[in-house]
mmCIF file of all heavy atoms in Angstrom:
data_model
loop_
_atom_site.group_PDB
_atom_site.id
_atom_site.type_symbol
_atom_site.label_atom_id
_atom_site.label_comp_id
_atom_site.label_asym_id
_atom_site.label_seq_id
_atom_site.Cartn_x
_atom_site.Cartn_y
_atom_site.Cartn_z
ATOM 1 N N ALA A 3 10.144 18.276 -11.725
ATOM 2 C CA ALA A 3 9.828 18.887 -10.456
ATOM 3 C C ALA A 3 11.050 19.370 -9.757
ATOM 4 O O ALA A 3 10.954 20.140 -8.740
ATOM 5 C CB ALA A 3 9.111 17.902 -9.551
ATOM 6 N N ASP A 7 14.963 11.982 -5.949
ATOM 7 C CA ASP A 7 14.339 10.886 -5.306
ATOM 8 C C ASP A 7 15.093 9.611 -5.728
ATOM 9 O O ASP A 7 15.827 9.644 -6.771
ATOM 10 C CB ASP A 7 12.897 10.771 -5.757
ATOM 11 C CG ASP A 7 12.034 10.023 -4.751
ATOM 12 O OD1 ASP A 7 12.594 9.541 -3.784
ATOM 13 O OD2 ASP A 7 10.810 9.973 -5.025
ATOM 14 N N PHE A 12 17.363 -4.780 -3.006
ATOM 15 C CA PHE A 12 18.523 -5.351 -2.256
ATOM 16 C C PHE A 12 18.112 -6.895 -2.127
ATOM 17 O O PHE A 12 16.959 -7.246 -2.258
ATOM 18 C CB PHE A 12 18.675 -4.735 -0.892
ATOM 19 C CG PHE A 12 17.566 -4.997 0.048
ATOM 20 C CD1 PHE A 12 17.613 -6.130 0.854
ATOM 21 C CD2 PHE A 12 16.499 -4.123 0.004
ATOM 22 C CE1 PHE A 12 16.549 -6.336 1.815
ATOM 23 C CE2 PHE A 12 15.387 -4.405 0.917
ATOM 24 C CZ PHE A 12 15.428 -5.571 1.811
ATOM 25 N N ILE A 18 24.385 -19.285 2.801
ATOM 26 C CA ILE A 18 25.236 -20.085 1.758
ATOM 27 C C ILE A 18 26.268 -20.980 2.661
ATOM 28 O O ILE A 18 26.928 -20.446 3.502
ATOM 29 C CB ILE A 18 26.004 -19.092 0.899
ATOM 30 C CG1 ILE A 18 25.005 -18.304 0.078
ATOM 31 C CG2 ILE A 18 27.038 -19.812 0.065
ATOM 32 C CD1 ILE A 18 25.616 -17.201 -0.828
ATOM 33 N N GLY A 19 26.107 -22.170 2.343
ATOM 34 C CA GLY A 19 27.037 -23.147 2.994
ATOM 35 C C GLY A 19 26.514 -23.855 4.218
ATOM 36 O O GLY A 19 27.283 -24.661 4.847
ATOM 37 N N LYS A 26 24.875 -32.540 8.813
ATOM 38 C CA LYS A 26 25.711 -33.148 9.846
ATOM 39 C C LYS A 26 24.872 -33.219 11.152
ATOM 40 O O LYS A 26 24.912 -34.307 11.809
ATOM 41 C CB LYS A 26 26.918 -32.213 10.069
ATOM 42 C CG LYS A 26 27.837 -32.749 11.166
ATOM 43 C CD LYS A 26 29.038 -31.784 11.423
ATOM 44 C CE LYS A 26 29.976 -32.204 12.482
ATOM 45 N NZ LYS A 26 29.418 -32.432 13.829
ATOM 46 N N LYS A 60 22.356 6.764 5.081
ATOM 47 C CA LYS A 60 23.371 7.754 5.602
ATOM 48 C C LYS A 60 24.591 7.876 4.764
ATOM 49 O O LYS A 60 25.235 8.948 4.744
ATOM 50 C CB LYS A 60 23.884 7.146 6.884
ATOM 51 C CG LYS A 60 22.769 7.234 8.068
ATOM 52 C CD LYS A 60 23.314 6.454 9.222
ATOM 53 C CE LYS A 60 23.364 7.254 10.461
ATOM 54 N NZ LYS A 60 23.800 6.541 11.582
ATOM 55 N N TRP A 63 23.465 6.515 -0.551
ATOM 56 C CA TRP A 63 22.591 7.593 -1.201
ATOM 57 C C TRP A 63 22.685 8.838 -0.388
ATOM 58 O O TRP A 63 22.541 9.951 -0.828
ATOM 59 C CB TRP A 63 21.298 7.171 -1.346
ATOM 60 C CG TRP A 63 21.038 5.968 -2.368
ATOM 61 C CD1 TRP A 63 21.929 5.499 -3.158
ATOM 62 C CD2 TRP A 63 19.818 5.270 -2.556
ATOM 63 N NE1 TRP A 63 21.442 4.440 -3.878
ATOM 64 C CE2 TRP A 63 20.171 4.303 -3.565
ATOM 65 C CE3 TRP A 63 18.606 5.323 -2.086
ATOM 66 C CZ2 TRP A 63 19.201 3.406 -3.979
ATOM 67 C CZ3 TRP A 63 17.679 4.382 -2.483
ATOM 68 C CH2 TRP A 63 17.949 3.386 -3.461
ATOM 69 N N LEU A 71 19.018 7.489 14.964
ATOM 70 C CA LEU A 71 17.764 6.887 15.549
ATOM 71 C C LEU A 71 18.186 5.891 16.672
ATOM 72 O O LEU A 71 19.054 5.158 16.583
ATOM 73 C CB LEU A 71 16.946 6.307 14.486
ATOM 74 C CG LEU A 71 16.470 7.174 13.293
ATOM 75 C CD1 LEU A 71 15.789 6.445 12.262
ATOM 76 C CD2 LEU A 71 15.642 8.360 13.828
ATOM 77 N N LYS A 80 10.855 5.021 12.077
ATOM 78 C CA LYS A 80 10.850 6.483 12.128
ATOM 79 C C LYS A 80 11.835 7.103 11.085
ATOM 80 O O LYS A 80 12.035 8.258 11.019
ATOM 81 C CB LYS A 80 11.204 7.008 13.547
ATOM 82 C CG LYS A 80 10.143 6.658 14.567
ATOM 83 C CD LYS A 80 8.861 7.315 14.281
ATOM 84 C CE LYS A 80 7.766 7.041 15.365
ATOM 85 N NZ LYS A 80 6.505 7.638 15.062
ATOM 86 N N GLY A 89 6.176 -9.943 -1.664
ATOM 87 C CA GLY A 89 5.479 -11.111 -1.057
ATOM 88 C C GLY A 89 4.862 -10.835 0.258
ATOM 89 O O GLY A 89 4.220 -11.689 0.817
ATOM 90 N N PRO A 91 2.574 -7.678 2.767
ATOM 91 C CA PRO A 91 1.389 -6.927 2.536
ATOM 92 C C PRO A 91 1.390 -5.822 1.490
ATOM 93 O O PRO A 91 0.387 -5.704 0.761
ATOM 94 C CB PRO A 91 1.014 -6.429 3.878
ATOM 95 C CG PRO A 91 1.521 -7.461 4.835
ATOM 96 C CD PRO A 91 2.839 -7.884 4.182
ATOM 97 N N LEU A 102 13.162 -8.264 -9.604
ATOM 98 C CA LEU A 102 14.113 -7.752 -8.708
ATOM 99 C C LEU A 102 15.463 -8.544 -8.801
ATOM 100 O O LEU A 102 16.561 -7.982 -8.858
ATOM 101 C CB LEU A 102 13.607 -7.796 -7.305
ATOM 102 C CG LEU A 102 14.621 -7.231 -6.158
ATOM 103 C CD1 LEU A 102 14.987 -5.867 -6.325
ATOM 104 C CD2 LEU A 102 14.023 -7.526 -4.815
ATOM 105 N N PHE A 119 8.885 -18.916 -6.284
ATOM 106 C CA PHE A 119 9.391 -17.669 -5.928
ATOM 107 C C PHE A 119 9.824 -17.486 -4.453
ATOM 108 O O PHE A 119 9.946 -16.407 -3.972
ATOM 109 C CB PHE A 119 8.501 -16.458 -6.283
ATOM 110 C CG PHE A 119 8.241 -16.472 -7.794
ATOM 111 C CD1 PHE A 119 7.029 -17.008 -8.276
ATOM 112 C CD2 PHE A 119 9.225 -16.193 -8.778
ATOM 113 C CE1 PHE A 119 6.722 -17.122 -9.646
ATOM 114 C CE2 PHE A 119 8.956 -16.279 -10.194
ATOM 115 C CZ PHE A 119 7.678 -16.794 -10.562
ATOM 116 N N SER A 126 17.431 -15.792 3.605
ATOM 117 C CA SER A 126 17.674 -14.639 2.635
ATOM 118 C C SER A 126 16.523 -13.628 2.793
ATOM 119 O O SER A 126 15.405 -13.965 3.125
ATOM 120 C CB SER A 126 17.678 -15.163 1.159
ATOM 121 O OG SER A 126 18.680 -16.113 0.973
ATOM 122 N N SER A 128 14.975 -9.998 0.772
ATOM 123 C CA SER A 128 15.068 -9.163 -0.372
ATOM 124 C C SER A 128 13.865 -8.097 -0.287
ATOM 125 O O SER A 128 12.918 -8.320 0.443
ATOM 126 C CB SER A 128 14.987 -9.899 -1.681
ATOM 127 O OG SER A 128 13.785 -10.476 -1.884
ATOM 128 N N ASP A 136 7.407 11.008 1.974
ATOM 129 C CA ASP A 136 5.960 10.612 2.151
ATOM 130 C C ASP A 136 5.769 9.105 1.996
ATOM 131 O O ASP A 136 4.614 8.694 2.067
ATOM 132 C CB ASP A 136 5.081 11.428 1.173
ATOM 133 C CG ASP A 136 5.098 12.803 1.503
ATOM 134 O OD1 ASP A 136 5.343 13.204 2.726
ATOM 135 O OD2 ASP A 136 4.925 13.718 0.590
ATOM 136 N N LEU A 142 -2.215 -4.390 0.702
ATOM 137 C CA LEU A 142 -3.137 -4.479 -0.401
ATOM 138 C C LEU A 142 -4.348 -5.121 0.114
ATOM 139 O O LEU A 142 -4.347 -6.140 0.724
ATOM 140 C CB LEU A 142 -2.486 -5.326 -1.506
ATOM 141 C CG LEU A 142 -3.346 -5.552 -2.772
ATOM 142 C CD1 LEU A 142 -3.553 -4.292 -3.428
ATOM 143 C CD2 LEU A 142 -2.686 -6.522 -3.678
ATOM 144 N N GLU A 143 -5.551 -4.533 -0.150
ATOM 145 C CA GLU A 143 -6.811 -5.018 0.331
ATOM 146 C C GLU A 143 -7.244 -6.045 -0.745
ATOM 147 O O GLU A 143 -6.578 -6.432 -1.650
ATOM 148 C CB GLU A 143 -7.780 -3.879 0.545
ATOM 149 C CG GLU A 143 -7.411 -2.860 1.493
ATOM 150 C CD GLU A 143 -7.349 -3.484 2.963
ATOM 151 O OE1 GLU A 143 -8.101 -4.422 3.297
ATOM 152 O OE2 GLU A 143 -6.504 -3.062 3.762
ATOM 153 N N ILE A 145 -9.014 -7.510 -3.900
ATOM 154 C CA ILE A 145 -9.109 -6.979 -5.267
ATOM 155 C C ILE A 145 -10.153 -7.837 -6.069
ATOM 156 O O ILE A 145 -10.341 -9.020 -5.777
ATOM 157 C CB ILE A 145 -7.767 -6.899 -5.966
ATOM 158 C CG1 ILE A 145 -7.066 -8.270 -6.003
ATOM 159 C CG2 ILE A 145 -6.863 -5.943 -5.343
ATOM 160 C CD1 ILE A 145 -5.815 -8.368 -6.724
ATOM 161 N N PHE A 167 -0.795 -16.650 -7.260
ATOM 162 C CA PHE A 167 0.121 -15.914 -6.318
ATOM 163 C C PHE A 167 -0.616 -14.842 -5.552
ATOM 164 O O PHE A 167 0.006 -14.186 -4.788
ATOM 165 C CB PHE A 167 1.330 -15.410 -7.070
ATOM 166 C CG PHE A 167 2.189 -16.520 -7.617
ATOM 167 C CD1 PHE A 167 2.161 -16.899 -8.929
ATOM 168 C CD2 PHE A 167 3.016 -17.178 -6.690
ATOM 169 C CE1 PHE A 167 2.983 -17.884 -9.364
ATOM 170 C CE2 PHE A 167 3.801 -18.277 -7.178
ATOM 171 C CZ PHE A 167 3.803 -18.614 -8.496
ATOM 172 N N MET A 172 -7.769 -11.778 -3.201
ATOM 173 C CA MET A 172 -8.913 -11.763 -4.142
ATOM 174 C C MET A 172 -10.277 -11.746 -3.350
ATOM 175 O O MET A 172 -10.392 -12.397 -2.375
ATOM 176 C CB MET A 172 -8.851 -12.985 -5.034
ATOM 177 C CG MET A 172 -7.593 -13.074 -5.943
ATOM 178 S SD MET A 172 -7.545 -14.373 -7.038
ATOM 179 C CE MET A 172 -7.930 -15.825 -6.142
ATOM 180 N N TYR A 174 -12.991 -12.694 -4.704
ATOM 181 C CA TYR A 174 -13.847 -13.718 -5.357
ATOM 182 C C TYR A 174 -13.214 -15.037 -5.239
ATOM 183 O O TYR A 174 -11.943 -15.262 -4.999
ATOM 184 C CB TYR A 174 -14.104 -13.288 -6.801
ATOM 185 C CG TYR A 174 -12.794 -13.232 -7.661
ATOM 186 C CD1 TYR A 174 -12.450 -14.389 -8.429
ATOM 187 C CD2 TYR A 174 -11.976 -12.222 -7.627
ATOM 188 C CE1 TYR A 174 -11.302 -14.346 -9.204
ATOM 189 C CE2 TYR A 174 -10.835 -12.120 -8.376
ATOM 190 C CZ TYR A 174 -10.517 -13.204 -9.212
ATOM 191 O OH TYR A 174 -9.319 -13.273 -9.883
#
Side-chain angles (χ1 to χ4, degrees):
D7 202 355
F12 70 93
I18 296 172
K26 177 186 182 300
K60 294 169 122 180
W63 294 351
L71 300 174
K80 296 296 182 182
L102 177 65
F119 305 103
S126 299
S128 68
D136 293 333
L142 180 66
E143 297 297 326
I145 57 176
F167 292 103
M172 298 182 313
Y174 65 94

